[in-house]
Amino acid sequence: MEQNYYQKEIETMPVDKIKELQSEKLIKQVKHVYENVAYYRDLMDKKGVSPDDIKGIEDLHKLPFLSKADLRDAYPYGLLATPIKDCVRIHSTSGTTGKRVVAFYTQNDIDLWDDCCARAIVAAGGTDEDICQVAYGYGLFTGGLGLHGGSHKVGCLTLPMSSGFTERQIQFMTDLNATILCCTPSYAAYIAESLKEQGYTPDNIPLKAGIFGAEPWTEEMRRGIERDLGIKAYDIYGLTETTGPGVAFECSEQKGMHINEDHFLAEIIDPDTGEVLPEGEKGELVFTALDKEAFPLLRYRTRDICVLSRKKCSCGRTLIKMAKPMGRTDDMLIIRGVNVFPSQIETVLLNEGYQPNYQIIVDRVGNNDTFDVNVEMNPDQFTDTVSGITSLEKKLSNAMKLMLGINPAVHLVPPKSIARSEGKAVRVIDKRKLH
């Protein structure tokens, strides 16, 4: 298929030129941060490194890391690198794991962010002929305004729906013939379910593509959404800390996400030692924002586990690819000594013919972990006979044991009894006091 690019010169730039550009920007950015951010200057001084030591990207490993704990310690203004009068906006994380992280943006920061999201929309087949329905949350969350800005840059007619109000989402989608849907994958699956209930089939849903991110999702979930909405579903990656969605995006190949390397320099490190790992090895993803003015994080530890690859891509983009994150160093559950990722549970459910509507509940009774998984039955599986439910629960528990190595207690619950999320789905409730 013919490939489209939003900024072809950058997206298809020879790798040596990309690295030259990154080196130029890194030297300048380190100086900017050292001179304007006392918090990071102290970290550099403690490590005995100065801006003069950074001659290019080959010296990146000399710089100290930043973690989410640093961002909380420096809250609210401690990592701001420009005067407040030069900032035009903030965004913030949800604060579900502690104090909120507040990120600042100059107008130039927003313009570059919009470009990154525009690249993602064009890679998904978007043009100025498209109608883009943005059903990510607007406000402090970066999703809504990020894709909104990208949609404007591409020239799409933008429907700024925000999340929720599913009836209204469907009304606008079908009345205005929206062609691109942007939201979380769990909300896309919920919209698909709601459309089906109203009698829509993939053939009479106007969408052609979806750009889904902000939470982990599996290939099986992708295929389900594609089938139910009659679309091609593209992944998008980002963090509030680095800017928001658009740090990396999927192309038509759907095998990993291209990182916008002119703006973000990626490394993979060993999460235990901090050692930089060679390309192709699995480890923790670390980002340096090369030209963010207001909130320029250097060597920020994302906690996402993935792999980087420069393998040639059929789309023609030369930007390095990151694999879909394979879990996180901080949302991995250790249950009875076994590492468990929610995505593994999701894979089993989809393989066994269930929808990914589930909740993991972990607790500790005495010195033993309890591990329960509540799973919604599909309407066609619904049975109210005790023996029928018990048999299905046992089958699912055995399938999970094969995947995980430990047996959860599976509880099948009636259809639609687990609260639907219109933002990020709450998949894990860990009641243990492990800290």
Side-chain angles (χ1 to χ4, degrees), residues 167-213:
E167 287 298 315
R168 190 170 68 190
Q169 300 276 3
I170 289 171
Q171 183 193 340
F172 275 72
M173 178 187 291
T174 53
D175 289 353
L176 293 170
N177 292 319
T179 52
I180 299 172
L181 175 65
C182 305
C183 63
T184 61
S186 60
Y187 193 41
Y190 184 53
I191 288 174
E193 198 178 306
S194 302
L195 280 160
K196 191 175 179 181
E197 282 173 4
Q198 292 188 23
Y200 288 94
T201 67
D203 290 338
N204 55 28
I205 294 167
L207 298 172
K208 67 176 187 183
I211 299 174
F212 307 130

Side-chain angles (χ1 to χ4, degrees), residues 215-422:
E215 64 186 10
W217 53 311
T218 57
E219 281 303 307
E220 293 89 347
M221 189 172 180
R222 185 214 297 267
R223 300 298 165 221
I225 291 169
E226 289 187 328
R227 179 192 65 235
D228 295 345
L229 290 176
I231 63 170
K232 194 159 179 172
Y234 297 82
D235 210 344
I236 190 167
Y237 177 89
L239 306 150
T240 302
E241 297 91 324
T242 51
T243 199
V247 171
F249 62 92
E250 236 175 8
C251 63
S252 55
E253 196 173 271
Q254 291 178 303
K255 289 178 186 164
M257 290 170 277
H258 290 285
I259 294 170
N260 282 311
E261 289 189 276
D262 52 325
H263 302 308
F264 305 101
L265 179 52
E267 305 168 88
I268 295 288
I269 64 163
D270 180 314
D272 298 321
T273 66
E275 176 200 356
V276 180
L277 299 176
E279 182 197 313
E281 294 223 8
K282 185 163 84 169
E284 183 181 345
L285 183 60
V286 172
F287 274 119
T288 293
L290 291 170
D291 37 24
K292 269 201 85 175
E293 295 174 340
F295 199 66
L297 301 188
L298 305 181
R299 300 199 85 198
Y300 180 68
R301 296 184 61 159
T302 67
R303 299 290 176 192
D304 281 322
I305 300 292
C306 78
V307 173
L308 297 179
S309 169
R310 280 213 185 270
K311 193 176 163 193
K312 191 172 179 183
C313 185
S314 61
C315 78
R317 288 176 180 82
T318 49
L319 301 170
I320 199 165
K321 272 186 179 176
M322 59 176 276
K324 184 187 275 288
M326 301 156 185
R328 291 172 58 81
T329 60
D330 60 357
D331 79 355
M332 179 179 74
L333 293 161
I334 301 177
I335 304 171
R336 301 174 207 154
V338 175
N339 295 346
V340 174
F341 288 100
S343 58
Q344 294 171 302
I345 303 276
E346 186 171 297
T347 296
V348 171
L349 292 178
L350 288 156
N351 286 342
E352 295 291 321
Y354 292 80
Q355 290 300 311
N357 297 317
Y358 66 98
Q359 205 153 50
I360 301 164
I361 300 155
V362 189
D363 206 345
R364 183 158 285 173
V365 177
N367 291 317
N368 296 316
D369 289 338
T370 62
F371 178 22
D372 294 79
V373 183
N374 292 340
V375 179
E376 270 190 11
M377 282 181 277
N378 296 330
D380 58 339
Q381 292 168 316
F382 188 55
T383 168
D384 55 9
T385 69
V386 174
S387 61
I389 290 175
T390 305
S391 168
L392 289 170
E393 285 172 343
K394 191 166 185 212
K395 184 170 182 265
L396 207 43
S397 179
N398 289 339
M400 288 184 191
K401 187 180 181 185
L402 278 174
M403 168 70 83
L404 304 169
I406 54 171
N407 246 122
V410 172
H411 309 281
L412 288 173
V413 297
K416 297 218 165 180
S417 61
I418 293 176
R420 291 296 194 275
S421 169
E422 291 168 341

